[in-house]
Amino acid sequence: MKANVTYWLDESAGRLPDKAAFVDEEKAVTFRELQSRAKALATQIIEKGLFKRPVVVYMEKGVDVLVSFMGAAYSCNFYSPIDVDMPASRVNKILEVLEPELVITTAALKETFESYAYRGSFLLFEEACHAEIREEKIEAARARGIDTDLLYVLFTSGSTGVPKGVTITHRSVIDYIDWVTETFAITDKDSFGNQAPFYFDNSILDIYSTLKTGATTYIIPKKLFAQPVPLLEYLKKKEINTIFWVPSALIVVAKLKAFRNVDLSGTLQRVLFCGEVMPNKQLNVWRKFLPDVLYANLYGPTEITDACTYYIVNREFADDEPLPIGVPMANTDILVLNEQNEPVSGEEIGELCVRGTSLSMGYYNNPEKTKEAFVQNPLNPFVPEVIYRTGDLVKYNEYGEILYLSRKDFQIKHMGHRIELGEIETAVSSLEEISLCCCLYDEKRQKIVLFLEGELEKSYINQRISGLVPEYMLPGKVISLEKMPINANGKIDRVKLKELL
């Protein structure tokens, strides 16, 4: 039994030592190089006395980040990536939650990180990855580890403006990747085209399917996702046969009719997507030009290790039909509960809840939020059994498949990211000119809409809050009101505001 994902890397490095594991714009790393450099990092981490502690990775997206992740895993610690473009205020909030003692970064980025609220030690990647490997220390650390130890903590948006650190164990990732590689028949002959940032849970499928099977992952340059024809040319040139992207990336390709310029038939075999609703209008364009490809809609929040249901597209859909999120993955149970905490019947709408190995251990250093979302299974009064309440409203269709309808609260999915609108409101409210504001999401136009009392230009607001929230959280539209509507409870009347969308 494998209690640590690094055993996958050991097997692939032993079987395919000189095969490229990960390739970015500037370099490639073979499985043997990945193993060797990660073990060198692990030795350095262990010698700092860390065990089961957070290791922050602060580097530009590329193969070196993945070496760092594996270095943390080999040392029996867990990694938490912080994006180099993240606003300082958000970085500091994450550091406040994590309280890390070690950051892996580069000499070029160390000075930037020193400007944050961090007083721990650093490992400079370019030095540490070539340090001496002490196998006996690594094996001693792994012997102490078990499969419910944390592998990573990824931070999602928090409604109070405080990011939530989702904790995921080795066991959960092993369970998920075993399902992925078996369901989609992934082997060492396959190659992934990675789109997801490494701080976003969609990347887990690419990274760990590669480590387990000996496939290769190409880290696609970010700029190509704004250039559909060069993007498809890249897939063709690198002979990438499997992609797992957020729908917005697929939609851009479909809208700009890039398939007329690049023929991917015979190259692309699997198109998987997750993170937001995939409109059939755009999916039908993909299916028209690439009819022999396997298409699969995966669904799930970060808290259940990336995905918990799936639908392999097996029939035709009209442009205005919803695409199902399908059925539970193996070893995962889905409960759709109504407001009485009873299973729904017929076409009754309920909240999607999850139980199984895939579940997060909770939010790091945040017991209150953990207790809200990770609760006792109301259908099992006999023994302690935790389920995760996703806050997503769903129903079953006539095929017994699950259809996603909407969020139960104000959390949204936008551009592949889960966002709490309250975090944007917190940032906007910090501006001295703002008295009342409210954010809603226009599902139809896929825009974050900011309502405010008074008159301020969108460009001015976005420029002012760009240091407080990531770019993907900036409002796409601003509506100025003379007076904000207030309901009987003295709260902003969101129902009336929705009428103005």
Side-chain angles (χ1 to χ4, degrees):
M1 178 185 170
K2 294 173 178 60
N4 187 305
V5 296
T6 54
Y7 290 110
W8 282 341
L9 175 52
D10 290 345
E11 288 176 0
S12 293
R15 191 165 52 90
L16 303 160
D18 301 317
K19 184 173 185 283
F22 299 101
V23 183
D24 65 24
E25 207 170 359
E26 297 177 357
K27 56 186 162 184
V29 62
T30 65
F31 283 100
R32 179 162 49 196
E33 289 168 339
L34 175 59
Q35 180 193 44
S36 172
R37 291 172 193 174
K39 284 187 171 183
L41 278 171
T43 302
Q44 297 276 299
I45 297 168
I46 291 166
E47 289 179 346
K48 287 185 177 290
L50 297 185
F51 182 68
K52 293 174 67 172
R53 294 288 297 142
V55 174
V56 166
V57 179
Y58 183 74
M59 296 162 72
E60 298 279 356
K61 185 183 181 185
V63 298
D64 294 346
V65 173
L66 302 173
V67 174
S68 302
F69 288 176
M70 289 302 99
Y74 269 119
S75 69
C76 254
N77 291 282
F78 54 93
Y79 64 84
S80 190
I82 292 182
D83 184 45
V84 295
D85 295 322
M86 197 174 281
S89 61
R90 187 173 171 86
V91 173
N92 286 330
K93 285 171 184 172
I94 289 173
L95 293 174
E96 189 181 329
V97 173
L98 269 184
E99 299 177 339
E101 298 163 47
L102 182 65
V103 172
I104 301 175
T105 188
T106 62
L109 288 169
K110 181 173 181 272
E111 189 177 343
T112 302
F113 207 87
E114 285 176 327
S115 69
Y116 302 138
Y118 175 70
R119 297 296 172 263
S121 58
F122 289 89
L123 269 188
L124 296 184
F125 179 86
E126 52 268 55
E127 297 170 8
C129 73
H130 298 297
E132 182 187 359
I133 296 171
R134 301 290 298 272
E135 291 279 2
E136 73 283 1
K137 291 190 175 184
I138 292 169
E139 288 313 307
R142 285 205 293 188
R144 292 171 65 198
I146 61 174
D147 64 355
T148 53
D149 288 339
L150 298 188
L151 172 59
Y152 62 79
V153 174
L154 297 184
F155 279 84
T156 63
S157 174
S159 57
T160 59
V162 178
K164 293 184 292 188
V166 179
T167 58
I168 299 292
T169 66
H170 287 264
R171 182 172 72 175
S172 294
V173 170
I174 290 166
D175 184 62
Y176 174 51
I177 297 302
D178 280 350
W179 175 84
V180 169
T181 53
E182 184 178 329
T183 301
F184 299 109
I186 306 297
T187 72
D188 58 24
K189 303 294 189 290
D190 290 311
S191 50
F192 291 89
N194 164 263
Q195 169 266 325
F198 295 149
Y199 58 83
F200 183 34
D201 63 330
N202 273 18
S203 64
I204 299 303
L205 186 148
D206 301 336
I207 296 168
Y208 291 99
S209 296
T210 293
L211 293 179
K212 182 184 177 183
T213 64
T216 298
T217 287
Y218 290 86
I219 301 167
I220 301 172
K222 187 179 177 181
K223 63 184 181 225
L224 289 184
F225 287 95
Q227 307 169 52
V229 171
L231 174 61
L232 297 190
E233 287 172 342
Y234 180 95
L235 298 183
K236 193 175 181 75
K237 181 183 176 185
K238 302 295 185 185
E239 298 182 333
I240 290 165
N241 70 1
T242 306
I243 58 174
F244 182 43
W245 295 355
V246 291
S248 53
L250 300 174
I251 289 167
V252 170
V253 173
K255 275 184 175 176
L256 297 179
K257 301 180 176 60
F259 295 116
R260 293 177 182 172
N261 300 83
V262 185
D263 181 13
L264 284 179
S265 56
T267 302
L268 207 54
Q269 295 174 14
R270 307 175 190 89
V271 174
L272 318 178
F273 41 91
C274 186
E276 57 195 342
V277 173
M278 179 69 202
N280 269 308
K281 183 178 179 181
Q282 277 80 29
L283 181 59
N284 284 337
V285 175
W286 279 79
R287 295 180 71 186
K288 175 186 172 186
F289 284 95
L290 296 169
D292 298 325
V293 166
L294 179 148
Y295 296 92
N297 185 19
L298 278 63
Y299 156 87
T302 310
E303 287 86 346
I304 50 76
T305 318
D306 193 23
C308 57
T309 74
Y310 72 109
Y311 172 65
I312 295 174
V313 182
N314 61 0
R315 61 182 186 270
E316 296 303 311
F317 289 91
D319 285 354
D320 59 356
E321 271 188 274
L323 191 68
I325 59 172
V327 296
M329 294 177 175
N331 201 33
T332 300
D333 189 26
I334 299 299
L335 313 174
V336 182
L337 303 177
N338 61 23
E339 291 187 356
Q340 287 74 45
N341 273 334
E342 298 166 343
V344 297
S345 58
E347 290 201 0
E348 185 183 6
I349 294 170
E351 180 181 4
L352 189 149
C353 303
V354 191
R355 72 182 188 100
T357 300
S358 63
L359 257 61
S360 163
M361 300 291 272
Y363 301 115
Y364 194 80
N365 201 12
N366 195 337
E368 288 91 7
K369 286 289 181 188
T370 299
K371 283 176 190 170
E372 286 176 19
F374 297 86
V375 303
Q376 171 65 25
N377 180 359
L379 306 183
N380 183 358
F382 309 107
V383 293
E385 181 182 52
V386 173
I387 63 170
Y388 173 67
R389 304 196 76 114
T390 66
D392 285 338
L393 296 176
V394 299
K395 68 176 183 178
Y396 289 98
N397 66 11
E398 66 270 32
Y399 299 98
E401 300 156 346
I402 301 167
L403 291 177
Y404 169 82
L405 301 174
S406 67
R407 287 294 302 160
K408 188 177 179 182
D409 54 19
F410 308 127
Q411 191 182 68
I412 63 163
K413 288 182 180 175
H414 177 60
M415 295 173 65
H417 300 275
R418 284 200 308 135
I419 297 168
E420 299 269 7
L421 294 174
E423 188 171 359
I424 306 170
E425 291 169 358
T426 300
V428 174
S429 296
S430 70
L431 304 182
E432 59 272 18
E433 301 94 335
I434 301 294
S435 55
L436 280 177
C437 71
C438 178
C439 266
L440 295 179
Y441 191 58
D442 187 337
E443 293 273 1
K444 187 177 177 183
R445 296 173 183 83
Q446 295 197 329
K447 277 190 176 181
I448 295 170
V449 180
L450 171 67
F451 293 89
L452 53 88
E453 274 190 5
E455 296 241 355
L456 283 178
E457 293 292 328
K458 183 182 84 169
S459 57
Y460 171 79
I461 291 170
N462 286 352
Q463 183 258 322
R464 289 289 306 278
I465 68 169
S466 61
L468 301 174
V469 296
E471 186 179 358
Y472 59 80
M473 289 171 66
L474 297 176
K477 184 178 181 181
V478 173
I479 297 178
S480 295
L481 302 171
E482 192 174 321
K483 192 164 181 58
M484 189 73 71
I486 304 294
N487 65 20
N489 295 328
K491 297 179 180 179
I492 292 174
D493 193 334
R494 293 172 183 265
V495 175
K496 283 191 178 173
L497 290 179
K498 278 185 180 177
E499 295 169 4
L500 302 176
L501 290 176

